[in-house]
Amino acid sequence: VFQFVHGKAGEAVRTVRVPVGTGISGSVAKYGVPLVIPDAQKDPRFNGKIDEKSNFVTRSVICVPLKREENIIGVLQSLNRKDGSTFSNQDLSIFESLAGIASIAIENAQLYTVLNQRLQQLEEAKQRNEYILNQLRRSEEETEKLKELSESRGAFSGKLDVFRVENLVQMLGNDYKTGKLTLKDDSEEAYIYLQNGKLRHVQLKNRNISGLNAFFETICWQDGEFSFEDGITVGENTIDKMSMSIIIEGLRRLDEYNVLKEKYPQDSIPKLNPDIDINQLEDINKINILKSIDGNKTIKDLLWVSSYDRYTFFSLIKELDEEKKISF
């Protein structure tokens, strides 16, 4: 692709792609050998289509490779000397010197871009880690209240805007509790079963989600009520990981979910791209969501009829949006 162009025909060819090995510049890009051509029209490698597109007449050409070490990263080319003469060996020497300088500048620019991207990734990772650490640091007041509730009687209850799900599970784990933690938000219930402080099974009442995905769903609940019944057991065992590692992963998902829900408000209505053939897709998760989109359902409606936790659902919506399979 012509990245940097100068001259009257520059804008006309800026987006033109020249395959490696095609045309004069493509030949230089493939073989790495400089070319000085006095009459391009008579050269068998000349590609006249670019002249047609730009209404330009190419006569003489000088083209040299841009190299970094042994790698060819592009070409530097000039057409038609202003005085009408052909390019000389002296011009070639000057051009090769310019190509060396340009190659270094291009590599430095690429390294600068990569460095900036890496720094941004590190900053985002730092912010996520700080968020998770802050969530894991329960306040002394909250800890004391939880302990008082737990020690006062086998069953206790409260509000999720006061006691977060991850804090409840962590406290019950520290006390090696066995029992059933019931969570209720405005439209759903969840049942979390623990045995000797370890997560064993999680089930949503109204949606077909269980196990880890059900637990990750409850991490996103910021309002509602909870109650704990001591001694309740369950036969199912859908979770076999350490509770703390699950909580940390849940908080990471919560952090990303909070960003995604701002980008895709729950009252927004996605629409299918009419050019997409759902039957040609391979990702069953994306297919399931696309089949639910009818132009009337909001994001909240689609989430409710899906079998995905909120983080997974919004991540799929983001991918479908970026892939231009849906629009808003």
Side-chain angles (χ1 to χ4, degrees), residues 169 261 309:
V169 171
K261 73 176 183 179
D309 63 275

Side-chain angles (χ1 to χ4, degrees), residues 64-285:
V64 299
L66 298 173
K67 292 183 177 180
R68 287 306 295 151
E69 297 179 351
E70 297 302 317
N71 298 318
I72 299 174
I73 61 174
V75 299
L76 181 65
Q77 179 176 267
S78 182
L79 310 177
N80 301 354
R81 284 181 59 105
K82 285 188 175 181
D83 61 8
S85 64
T86 59
F87 292 103
S88 65
N89 288 333
Q90 183 179 2
D91 293 328
L92 177 60
S93 178
I94 294 172
F95 239 61
E96 287 180 323
S97 297
L98 289 173
I101 296 171
S103 297
I104 294 172
I106 291 171
E107 183 180 44
N108 288 342
Q110 291 173 337
L111 290 173
Y112 180 77
T113 299
V114 171
L115 178 60
N116 270 346
Q117 290 174 343
R118 182 56 180 157
L119 288 173
Q120 183 177 354
Q121 291 170 354
L122 289 173
E123 180 61 27
E124 291 173 353
K126 177 185 175 184
Q127 292 176 0
R128 285 196 298 269
N129 290 337
E130 288 177 349
Y131 175 84
I132 291 173
L133 287 174
N134 288 334
Q135 291 294 315
L136 289 173
R137 294 191 191 102
R138 294 175 298 169
S139 67
E140 183 177 347
E141 179 181 355
E142 182 176 343
T143 302
E144 290 304 316
K145 287 182 179 179
L146 285 170
K147 285 188 174 294
E148 289 174 7
L149 286 171
S150 177
E151 293 171 357
S152 63
R153 55 192 184 279
F156 59 90
S157 60
K159 300 288 187 181
L160 289 176
D161 59 349
V162 178
F163 303 114
R164 298 278 303 151
V165 174
E166 62 272 14
N167 291 334
L168 288 167
V169 171
Q170 188 177 6
M171 183 273 293
L172 293 169
N174 291 341
D175 291 344
Y176 300 98
K177 289 287 188 179
T178 294
K180 175 184 177 183
L181 180 63
T182 299
L183 311 174
K184 297 181 180 181
D185 74 350
D186 58 349
S187 57
E188 181 61 284
E189 288 188 22
Y191 311 113
I192 300 177
Y193 295 89
L194 299 99
Q195 183 175 345
N196 297 324
K198 294 182 179 180
L199 283 169
R200 280 292 172 258
H201 178 60
V202 183
Q203 179 68 55
L204 298 188
K205 178 181 179 180
N206 299 318
R207 299 169 63 202
N208 185 28
I209 306 178
S210 61
L212 278 178
N213 287 335
F215 179 73
F216 292 145
E217 168 69 14
T218 64
I219 286 280
C220 297
W221 295 7
Q222 299 179 359
D223 296 301
E225 302 175 344
F226 72 86
S227 61
F228 179 74
E229 299 173 82
D230 196 19
I232 304 295
T233 59
V234 66
E236 293 182 82
N237 185 0
T238 57
I239 299 176
D240 58 2
K241 293 185 177 181
M242 295 293 292
S243 297
M244 184 52 66
S245 65
I246 295 172
I247 289 173
I248 292 174
E249 172 62 16
L251 290 174
R252 183 193 68 80
R253 292 181 175 223
L254 174 62
D255 182 33
E256 295 188 24
Y257 161 70
N258 285 333
V259 174
L260 291 172
K261 73 176 183 179
E262 294 298 323
K263 185 175 182 180
Y264 302 104
Q266 293 199 27
D267 59 354
S268 59
I269 300 176
K271 293 179 174 55
L272 280 175
N273 182 336
D275 297 327
I276 297 299
D277 185 354
I278 297 178
N279 296 322
Q280 297 298 317
L281 302 180
E282 296 181 357
D283 190 327
I284 188 62
N285 296 317

